[in-house]
Amino acid sequence: LRETATEAALPNVVVVKPTVDADGAALVLPGNVQAYNSAAIYARTNGYVRRWLADIGDRVGAGQSLAILDAPEVDQQLAAAQANYQTALANQNLAEITSRRWTAMLKEDAVSQQEADEKAGDLAARKAVTNAALADVKRLKALQGFTQLSAPFAGIVTSRSAQIGALVVAGNASAQPLFTVSDVHRVRIYVRVPQGYSASVRPGMTASLTLPEYPGRTFEATVTSSAGAVDAQSGSVLVQLQANNPDGALHPGAFSQVNFKTGAGHGNSVTLPGSAILYGNDGPTVAVADRSGKVTVKPVTITRDEGKVVHVAGGVTANDQVIDTPPDAMRSGDMVRIQKPAKSEKGAANAG
């Protein structure tokens, strides 16, 4: 009876083996896909939309026309500026002839030095007026050139709000862009990495992307830069990745899951079920049983908690037998009976 009671007093426990991820622990975070270059095209002059030459989804080249505006006011202002320039040029020519004549008469003492200097000063003033008139003509010509909206680089038209006959007012802060052109031959992915993992994400490391519209497909990306500062509101570091997009499968504005291999190279990091962790006053611990059933409680450091699975460093190795779901009252020196896995018992029964 004493032996039976002693044997019955030993609790039955299930042990698990810590696993080591040779490829490194994965850190999965949401990412936002953006075009490599994106430009909102606004009008630089007032006018009406005469024609639009590109629609959403069209591929355009650098400098290709997107729309043409009618700007009659600018045309008339340019005509007036050209007339003013011609007037100023004529006055300059007359002042130049007069200055030469008075300089010649000065050599014969027919006029005074003061009068000759006045004519030379008038010529200089006329030249300045001519230059100002010419600059006004060039300004209005440039403004007239803005009636043709062009793509700043090769890409895809991702938005169009231009409508034929619509009035376009330049400099209106509340106006939406007439077009948006995005260069998607390569994309940028922005991820906010929590501060605790920011040291593991470094420029040059690779990551994989998954998108809900492409189940089972992954895209390779490379970390190119980091903000190098922790955002006070979110407690995270903004990281930028870049990925090639030859087939245009990655769309600007898309949501993605970014998988970082942050644990690579850390041989002391193992994975355990979340149910194997004991939380007490001394921090997280695990109960390890040897072959005789003697328990040793060891402290561990949790490097990442994924809920069902936790990554721990220190305290345990891949050869230890860690008790799964240990009782809170378990202490070092306790004796337990290690229960065999159900699969092994079933296999033995089938073999019999």
Side-chain angles (χ1 to χ4, degrees), residues 112-124:
S112 65
Q113 181 68 44
Q114 178 65 29
E115 292 174 322
D117 292 342
E118 289 178 356
K119 300 303 180 183
D122 182 62
L123 173 60

Side-chain angles (χ1 to χ4, degrees), residues 35 37-42 152-153 158-159 177 179-183:
N37 285 313
S38 183
I41 311 300
Y42 291 88
F153 46 76
T158 56
S159 73
F179 295 91
T180 302
V181 179
S182 299
D183 180 8

Side-chain angles (χ1 to χ4, degrees), residues 18 26 53 96 145 164 171 178 183-184 188 220 224-225 233 253 263 299 304 318 328 334 342 346 349 351:
L53 307 174
E96 186 175 359
I164 295 178
L178 299 178
D183 180 8
V184 295
R188 306 176 192 267
E220 293 299 323
T224 57
S225 59
Q233 295 182 349
R304 184 163 74 252
D328 294 338
D334 293 349
K346 184 178 179 181

Side-chain angles (χ1 to χ4, degrees), residues 277-304:
I277 306 297
L278 283 169
Y279 295 94
N281 296 331
D282 298 331
T285 58
V286 295
V288 179
D290 59 14
R291 292 184 178 181
S292 64
K294 186 177 181 180
V295 176
T296 303
V297 178
K298 298 182 178 182
V300 294
T301 301
I302 298 177
T303 59
R304 184 163 74 252

Side-chain angles (χ1 to χ4, degrees), residues 96-115:
E96 186 175 359
I97 294 172
T98 304
S99 178
R100 286 202 303 265
R101 289 175 177 172
W102 284 74
T103 301
M105 289 188 291
L106 177 62
K107 294 179 181 179
E108 299 177 359
D109 293 331
V111 293
S112 65
Q113 181 68 44
Q114 178 65 29
E115 292 174 322

Side-chain angles (χ1 to χ4, degrees), residues 27-31 189-202 205 207 223 225-231 234-241 258-260 262 304:
L27 173 64
V28 181
L29 296 170
I189 304 96
Y190 294 96
V191 181
R192 292 194 175 275
V193 180
Q195 180 182 350
Y197 310 128
S198 59
S200 302
V201 179
R202 302 172 301 276
M205 69 183 298
V223 179
S225 59
S226 170
V230 179
D231 182 65
S234 63
S236 60
V237 178
L238 182 63
V239 174
Q240 177 184 256
L241 300 91
V258 184
N259 190 321
F260 297 95
T262 58
R304 184 163 74 252

